[in-house]
Amino acid sequence: MAFGTDTIKKFETLETPFYYYDLGLLRKTLAALQLAAPPEYHVHYALKANANPELLQLIRDAGLGADCVSGNEVKRANELGFKAEKIVFAGVGKSDKEINDALDIGIFCFNAESTHELEVINELAGKKSKIAPIALRINPNVDAHTHKYITTGLEENKFGINQHEFETVCQLIQSSENLNFCGLHFHIGSQIQDLTAFKNLCLKVNEINQWFIKRGLFPEHINVGGGLGIDYRNPETNSIVDFAQYFNVFKDLLELHPQQKVHFELGRCIVAQCGNLISRALYIKKGINTNFVILDAGMTELIRPALYQAYHKIENISRPNQPLDSKYDVVGPICESSDCFGKSVELPESQRGDLFAIRSAGAYGEVMSNHYNLRVSAKPVYSV
Ligand code: LLP
């Protein structure tokens, strides 16, 4: 059980639902990451996983850069003191305002995703008499073998520049006065647990890197994206991912020039396990074939199970030592049948008022919350 009796007593006094962040675990995770990352590797934290300022401050203090996919993420990273020269900005649809603001901040680099975007960035930078640093986001056509909604590196996906466009893109960059080519960017998907996908990525990166060097554009920075998956089934025993094993794949397989620097954009594996969605059982309902625990949290607070059929461990934390001898479908109050956190979940016999923890909710939980059914935002609560 992840929570001590004092913590649960504190939970009893709070209004549910809320996100509970274990900042101690986040600190430990960051320390493990720092220990495992070779000094020449640059890790940018992907704000899209969780942009909560308390968490961001710890992440900034650990020396990470920021990976942003919207103007507001760039703004938040900048306001919270992430150094501009450590901010990267990706995304298939950057608006003119977002590009202009990022140019004013002077970010490290734009990860550009299409020829059309390159033309627009060049024009906007020109109007400001600035040179925009550009990394090309390449679609490497590597299968991440993850959920289809979070696979990004296949030719059928909207992300990145495909191989058939490389020559056009090189000509465009070389003829654009306000673009400075600084590197290549890749990201094949998220929640990747089988490291083979990253191995395949490395082999593709080597090929593409060589192609660009031969073509006369030297990528000083190679950004291999994020995507390292976590163990949703065992958040206790496996609360921190094996960063060393992950970095070793790149150390062993990337064939780079000594002047080339490697960048990462990790999100989920840094923040997922430190977050929990804490909710109270409103009702216990007897169905025909199944019984339901109806919680006061729903897909508005954590949409992952409804959207990706994602598994999150669910615990009745009011009855920590009781046998798991009952089965319930654990659902929320939203008017959608997909508003279900788990089916046939083994739990102790539960009652109205019991507190439940939905584990591993630190990544893509609070950031993806919404106000459907006019729900109000659940608040974050922090461990000391
Ligand atoms: N870099 C880029 C370009 C990305 O698109 C992403 C995630 C990341 C880095 C960070 O990936 P991570 O290390 O967190 O896997 N909402 C989905 C996940 C969407 C991921 C989008 N891109 C979920 O809840 O599973």
Side-chain angles (χ1 to χ4, degrees):
M1 176 66 63
F3 312 100
T5 13
D6 288 349
T7 308
I8 296 173
K9 266 194 201 139
K10 180 178 148 193
F11 288 174
E12 294 286 355
T13 65
L14 300 172
E15 193 184 326
T16 51
F18 57 88
Y19 300 99
Y20 176 69
Y21 292 110
D22 178 348
L23 298 183
L25 179 56
L26 177 57
R27 283 191 198 94
K28 278 191 205 150
T29 307
L30 289 166
L33 172 68
Q34 282 169 314
L35 195 69
E40 68 277 15
Y41 282 8
H42 303 268
V43 181
H44 304 260
Y45 167 67
L47 264 80
K48 66 178 81 61
N50 191 321
N52 177 310
E54 295 285 327
L55 274 61
L56 286 180
Q57 284 167 29
L58 290 180
I59 294 168
R60 174 205 62 201
D61 290 347
L64 275 68
D67 162 39
C68 304
V69 284
S70 74
N72 281 344
E73 285 188 0
V74 172
K75 191 165 166 241
R76 178 159 304 178
N78 184 48
E79 283 171 359
L80 281 173
F82 283 87
K83 292 202 175 93
E85 63 267 25
K86 283 187 173 185
I87 298 178
V88 296
F89 183 14
V92 284
K94 302 176 188 78
S95 72
D96 291 17
K97 179 172 180 346
E98 289 176 317
I99 294 169
N100 277 323
D101 290 349
L103 285 168
D104 290 342
I105 288 172
I107 61 165
F108 168 62
C109 116
F110 291 86
N111 293 334
E113 308 230 7
S114 65
T115 46
H116 204 175
E117 183 189 335
L118 287 170
E119 286 163 0
V120 172
I121 297 179
N122 183 49
E123 187 190 320
L124 295 175
K127 283 191 188 146
K128 289 179 179 289
S129 307
K130 293 196 177 197
I131 306 287
I134 296 290
L136 294 175
R137 173 155 182 190
I138 304 295
N139 185 339
N141 200 23
V142 170
D143 197 344
H145 296 291
T146 183
H147 192 281
K148 67 174 191 296
Y149 287 5
I150 52 177
T151 289
T152 48
L154 288 177
E155 272 169 6
E156 69 202 51
N157 300 128
K158 68 179 174 182
F159 299 100
I161 294 166
N162 289 316
Q163 199 140 8
H164 69 269
E165 288 178 304
F166 286 180
E167 182 51 40
T168 319
V169 158
C170 288
Q171 285 172 19
L172 184 59
I173 286 191
Q174 286 169 328
S175 62
S176 300
E177 283 184 9
N178 298 84
L179 300 181
N180 177 33
F181 175 74
C182 62
L184 299 174
H185 172 233
F186 305 83
H187 173 78
I188 53 173
S190 196
Q191 185 49 18
I192 301 169
Q193 286 188 282
D194 179 355
L195 296 181
T196 316
F198 294 116
K199 290 181 185 163
N200 293 336
L201 170 65
C202 288
L203 304 180
K204 259 294 163 62
V205 169
N206 292 341
E207 244 176 60
I208 295 171
N209 184 32
Q210 275 315 314
W211 190 93
F212 275 86
I213 294 175
K214 277 206 192 106
R215 176 61 184 71
L217 283 176
F218 184 77
E220 198 182 326
H221 302 277
I222 300 288
N223 183 336
V224 291
L228 179 57
I230 61 136
D231 189 348
Y232 280 96
R233 297 205 172 253
N234 303 293
E236 220 76 62
T237 47
N238 227 348
S239 59
I240 301 180
V241 293
D242 191 340
F243 287 113
Q245 199 186 24
Y246 170 70
F247 288 125
N248 277 340
V249 170
F250 297 90
K251 264 201 286 185
D252 291 346
L253 293 178
L254 279 184
E255 291 164 3
L256 299 183
H257 211 269
Q259 280 139 282
Q260 291 187 302
K261 298 174 190 75
V262 187
H263 295 250
F264 296 83
E265 300 171 340
L266 296 172
R268 185 191 313 263
C269 62
I270 297 175
V271 291
Q273 300 290 26
C274 77
N276 300 275
L277 176 60
I278 309 294
S279 174
R280 210 176 271 281
L282 292 172
Y283 302 104
I284 309 296
K285 176 170 167 176
K286 292 212 182 306
I288 296 169
N289 297 317
T290 179
N291 294 332
F292 296 95
V293 173
I294 302 172
L295 297 180
D296 62 4
M299 62 194 283
T300 38
E301 287 70 47
L302 181 67
I303 203 172
R304 303 193 68 257
L307 191 56
Y308 318 112
Q309 300 76 47
Y311 172 87
H312 283 258
K313 191 169 182 186
I314 302 170
E315 291 171 351
N316 179 332
I317 54 174
S318 295
R319 299 173 194 281
N321 300 316
Q322 295 184 17
L324 308 181
D325 53 6
S326 303
K327 277 192 182 168
Y328 298 94
D329 284 9
V330 180
V331 301
I334 308 301
C335 293
E336 294 274 344
S337 293
S338 60
D339 184 28
C340 174
F341 289 119
K343 286 200 176 294
S344 281
V345 183
E346 291 181 354
L347 290 164
E349 198 176 334
S350 302
Q351 286 184 15
R352 170 175 165 83
D354 285 358
L355 284 171
F356 282 74
I358 303 176
R359 310 293 310 276
S360 319
Y364 307 107
E366 192 179 352
V367 271
M368 291 181 81
S369 66
N370 60 80
H371 297 126
Y372 186 38
N373 290 185
L374 288 189
R375 304 262 297 170
V376 292
S377 301
K379 299 221 163 35
V381 172
Y382 310 96
S383 67
V384 275

